[in-house]
Amino acid sequence: MKKKYIIIAGILVIVAAAAIWYFFFKAKAPEYKESQIKKSSITLKILATGTVQPENRLQIKSSIAGRAEQVLVKEGQRVGRGQVLAWISSTERSVLLDSARAQGAEEVKKWEDVYRPTPVIAPLSGTIILRSIEPGQTFSTSDVLFAMADRLTVKAQVDETDLSQIHVGQKAQVTLDAYLDKNLDAKVNQVAYEARTVNNVTTYTIDVLPSEKIEFLRSGMTANVTFFGETKDDILVIPNEFIKYENGKPDIQVKTEKKPESREVKLGMTDGKKTEILSGLDETDIVVLPINKKDSKIKNNMLSGPNTGKRR
C-alpha cells in the first residue's frame, strides 16, 4: 500500500507540474485587430490653439479730470461712432454744483444751464468691452473710462512648418473651451508677417474671424482652431492606429496565411485619424495590429467601474 501511495503522489506531482507549465509558460498565439485597406477621402487639417481677442482695442480716457454724472452704456453694448457714452463734470464744475446744492434747486439749475457737462464720445463703432466708471465716481486724465473693440477675432498660433498650408479666406472651425458643444464656422482673416519664437518654437499669429456674430464670444476665451486645407478623394487610406514606426520609418503589419509580415510603405497626407497610402499596399491587403490583452483587461475593468457614463 505504501508503494501504491508513493506512485499516486508522483503522478499527482507530474500532473501539477504539467498544469503549471501549461498555464504559465506555454506561449499562446497572439491575437490581432484587423482592418481592410479601402478607398476614402482625406481633408488636410491643421490644428492650433489661440485666444479670443479684439481685432482693434481702444482705450477711452478723458482730457479733463472730474466726476462722472451719467454713464449711458454697459459692457457688451454695441455703440455707433459719435455716440455719447457718458456725461462728465470737470473738477471746477463739480465744486460749483456741490456748492449750489447747499443753496437750493434754483441755484443748481442756474449753474447746470450756465456750465454744461462734457460728453465722452465713442470714436468708432464697436462693442463696449470695459466700463470702469459709475455715476458719482471721480477720475483723473490717466484713468481708462471705457475700452472698445470693433470686433472680436481668434488669434491662433500656427507652427512655421504649417504656414504654407494657411491662406487668407481659408475655411476654419473654432471650438471654445467654455462651449465645447458648439462648433463655430470661421475663415482666415489675416496671416502675420512677423514670427514669434517661444522655447525655440517659431510660430505665426493667424487671425480667424467667425462667419457670424456670436453673442457668447468674450475677450480672453481659450479656443481650438481647425484649418481645412487640401482635400483628396478616392485614395487608399489606413487608420493611423495601424501605423507603427521603426527607426523613423513606417512599419505596417499585413495579414498572411502563416503570420503577419512587415510591409514597407510610403505615406502621404493625414487628417489625424487616417493616412493616405502612396505605395506598398492595395485594396486586397488586410493590416493587423497586435492586441495587448493586459491593457484591454485594464480598460474593460475601468469601463465597468462605478463611474461608467459619468463625466467629471
Side-chain angles (χ1 to χ4, degrees):
M1 289 295 293
K2 184 176 181 181
K3 184 176 181 181
K4 183 178 180 181
Y5 289 144
I6 293 174
I7 293 173
I8 293 173
I11 293 173
L12 292 175
V13 169
I14 293 173
V15 171
I20 292 172
W21 178 85
Y22 180 82
F23 285 106
F24 292 97
F25 296 99
K26 183 180 179 181
K28 296 183 179 180
E31 294 183 7
Y32 294 91
K33 181 178 180 180
E34 300 181 355
S35 179
Q36 177 76 47
I37 296 298
K38 57 185 179 180
K39 289 188 175 182
S40 181
S41 61
I42 286 183
T43 298
L44 178 64
K45 296 179 181 179
I46 300 170
L47 305 180
T49 58
T51 56
V52 178
Q53 295 181 28
E55 185 176 29
N56 294 299
R57 188 179 190 275
L58 180 65
Q59 293 182 338
I60 301 175
K61 300 179 181 181
S62 174
S63 59
I64 60 172
R67 181 174 67 195
E69 299 295 341
Q70 287 182 288
V71 182
L72 307 176
V73 294
K74 58 183 180 180
E75 289 184 3
Q77 181 176 335
R78 291 285 301 178
V79 298
R81 181 179 181 181
Q83 183 174 334
V84 177
L85 307 179
W87 291 99
I88 61 175
S89 293
S90 63
T91 302
E92 294 81 1
R93 185 176 189 272
S94 299
V95 172
L96 283 171
L97 289 179
D98 290 343
S99 177
R101 288 189 180 95
Q103 302 176 41
E106 291 186 3
E107 189 70 11
V108 173
K109 187 176 184 308
K110 169 189 169 182
W111 284 108
E112 285 181 340
D113 293 338
V114 172
Y115 202 160
R116 296 287 185 177
T118 302
V120 178
I121 297 175
L124 50 79
S125 297
T127 302
I128 302 296
I129 60 174
L130 174 67
R131 165 181 153 168
S132 58
I133 60 169
E134 298 295 334
Q137 183 177 340
T138 58
F139 54 85
S140 67
T141 55
S142 62
D143 293 329
V144 176
L145 306 184
F146 301 96
M148 291 184 61
D150 51 359
R151 59 182 177 181
L152 294 174
T153 65
V154 178
K155 295 188 179 295
Q157 302 302 320
V158 174
D159 191 278
E160 64 176 330
T161 57
D162 295 322
L163 191 63
S164 62
Q165 304 293 335
I166 306 294
H167 59 269
V168 174
Q170 183 174 353
K171 290 184 179 180
Q173 191 175 78
V174 175
T175 303
L176 303 171
D177 283 1
Y179 297 91
L180 292 175
D181 59 332
K182 299 181 185 297
N183 294 322
L184 311 178
D185 292 332
K187 64 178 181 179
V188 176
N189 186 55
Q190 185 176 354
V191 180
Y193 285 88
E194 186 175 6
R196 294 179 56 195
T197 302
V198 179
N199 296 328
N200 294 323
V201 177
T202 301
T203 61
Y204 287 81
T205 300
I206 310 298
D207 283 3
V208 180
L209 185 65
S211 300
E212 57 185 32
K213 182 182 177 182
I214 310 298
E215 294 295 337
F216 54 79
L217 207 61
R218 298 290 185 273
S219 179
M221 284 183 168
T222 302
N224 296 296
V225 182
T226 303
F227 299 94
F228 298 101
E230 178 187 4
T231 296
K232 288 187 177 181
D233 297 316
D234 199 31
I235 58 173
L236 289 178
V237 299
I238 181 174
N240 282 4
E241 62 179 312
F242 288 86
I243 305 174
K244 304 300 177 183
Y245 288 86
E246 292 290 340
N247 299 322
K249 295 182 178 181
D251 178 45
I252 311 298
Q253 297 293 312
V254 180
K255 184 178 181 179
T256 64
E257 293 183 359
K258 295 182 178 180
K259 64 177 183 178
E261 66 177 21
S262 181
R263 186 77 60 85
E264 184 177 344
V265 299
K266 185 176 181 181
L267 303 178
M269 64 184 289
T270 180
D271 64 0
K273 293 183 179 180
K274 53 185 181 292
T275 298
E276 175 189 13
I277 301 170
L278 298 177
S279 63
L281 296 173
D282 57 44
E283 289 184 271
T284 64
D285 290 320
I286 297 177
V287 293
V288 297
L289 180 69
I291 298 176
N292 189 325
K293 292 185 176 181
K294 182 177 179 181
D295 291 345
S296 298
K297 184 176 180 181
I298 293 174
K299 183 177 180 180
N300 290 333
N301 288 339
M302 292 175 64
L303 291 175
S304 61
N307 291 323
T308 300
K310 295 183 179 179
R311 180 177 178 182
R312 295 187 177 181

